[in-house]
Amino acid sequence: MIAADYLKRIAAWSRELNEREIEVARAGIVEKSYRANEFIFMRGDAFDYWTGIVTGLARMGTVSSGGKAATFAGLTAGAWFGEGSVLKSEPRRYDMVALRDTRLALMDRATFFWLFENSVAFNRFLVRQLNERLGQFIGAVEHGRTLDATSRVARSIASLFNPILYPDMTRHLEITQEEIGALSGISRQNANQCLKRLEKEGLLRLEYGGVTIIELERLRNHGD
């Protein structure tokens, strides 16, 4: 069983629970590691866990029958996902791939539903989470259809700084240009060019192994 302090460190939602709820949550969570480029699950899989990113980076997306790939969201440490599939008891409707070595916290379905049925604080979190995720997906559809590559990169990066979906992020993001390209649906080379444009505009600073955000709001609204 994971420690209570450790749970609070990896799961911001647990910080609002009472002692009984924390004990139940601790007992229902295990951890599992995935290698870079390994599928965590694929569309159609029965993956009965509510899942948090402990360390690493994952991409949520799908591939059409014609082979066209679409990215829905990137998930960094602190993000929890999959509550919709657990609530509806349905197969996953998207693929989840680890973009780098990634460690997950997996809460079993029985524990999730105990919290859902007994914890007011947990339900408040779920409402906020589902509302933010819906807005994120609507934005992703709009951006993919209306924005150029540089603006898609800007907004893909900005989406990783949502204070509800990723509550413990700092302004420095450890991410490679290849990973940014994967999240934005473009090649590493194109991502490099777009990042240089954004740096020239004063919105971010390129650093070894990552980027530091300077103008978050301008990134969020790039291309408007």
Side-chain angles (χ1 to χ4, degrees):
M1 183 187 298
I2 64 175
D5 288 346
Y6 179 72
L7 176 62
K8 291 179 180 180
R9 188 164 74 251
I10 67 172
W13 52 265
S14 68
R15 301 166 195 167
E16 302 179 19
L17 305 185
N18 62 37
E19 291 185 7
R20 169 62 174 152
E21 294 162 355
I22 288 173
E23 290 303 303
V24 171
R26 289 174 57 206
I29 293 176
V30 297
E31 292 188 347
K32 185 174 180 181
S33 295
Y34 293 82
R35 298 183 303 275
N37 300 315
E38 183 177 0
F39 275 90
I40 296 167
F41 55 79
M42 299 180 69
R43 183 171 57 179
D45 285 352
F47 189 81
D48 293 329
Y49 295 97
W50 190 47
T51 309
I53 308 287
V54 178
T55 59
L57 178 68
R59 179 177 62 83
M60 180 187 295
T62 190
V63 179
S64 71
S65 58
K68 184 177 181 180
T71 295
F72 300 148
L75 297 106
T76 59
W80 286 75
F81 64 92
E83 58 277 350
S85 295
V86 175
L87 284 167
K88 292 183 286 185
S89 301
E90 67 177 16
R92 296 300 166 123
R93 304 179 69 178
Y94 50 87
D95 302 325
M96 183 64 66
V97 182
L99 293 182
R100 67 174 74 145
D101 290 351
T102 297
R103 188 163 182 80
L104 302 183
L106 306 173
M107 176 184 285
D108 64 62
R109 190 169 181 270
T111 301
F112 179 91
F113 269 96
W114 188 94
L115 291 169
F116 179 65
E117 292 167 358
N118 293 279
S119 173
V120 173
F122 188 71
N123 277 276
R124 286 176 181 152
F125 168 81
L126 286 180
V127 170
R128 294 195 301 268
Q129 170 100 339
L130 289 166
N131 185 55
E132 289 295 325
R133 190 71 74 194
L134 176 61
Q136 182 186 46
F137 288 162
I138 291 173
V141 171
E142 177 188 7
H143 303 160
R145 294 178 179 177
T146 63
L147 299 178
D148 62 20
T150 300
S151 294
R152 291 204 307 273
V153 167
R155 298 202 186 197
S156 292
I157 294 172
S159 72
L160 299 177
F161 291 86
N162 183 301
I164 294 176
L165 298 176
Y166 315 104
D168 296 325
M169 290 290 291
T170 67
R171 287 299 178 103
H172 177 73
L173 179 63
E174 293 184 0
I175 192 169
T176 68
Q177 293 181 6
E178 184 175 1
E179 291 166 345
I180 289 172
L183 295 178
S184 306
I186 61 177
S187 68
R188 185 195 65 77
Q189 291 81 3
N190 285 338
N192 174 266
Q193 295 173 3
C194 294
L195 287 167
K196 288 180 178 178
R197 294 189 193 104
L198 294 172
E199 183 176 45
K200 188 175 182 179
E201 293 176 30
L203 306 189
L204 52 78
R205 183 170 61 251
L206 297 177
E207 298 172 347
Y208 180 76
V211 297
T212 292
I213 306 306
I214 299 173
E215 295 283 351
L216 181 56
E217 286 305 312
R218 289 175 62 195
L219 279 175
R220 285 178 172 148
N221 296 302
H222 199 278
D224 283 350

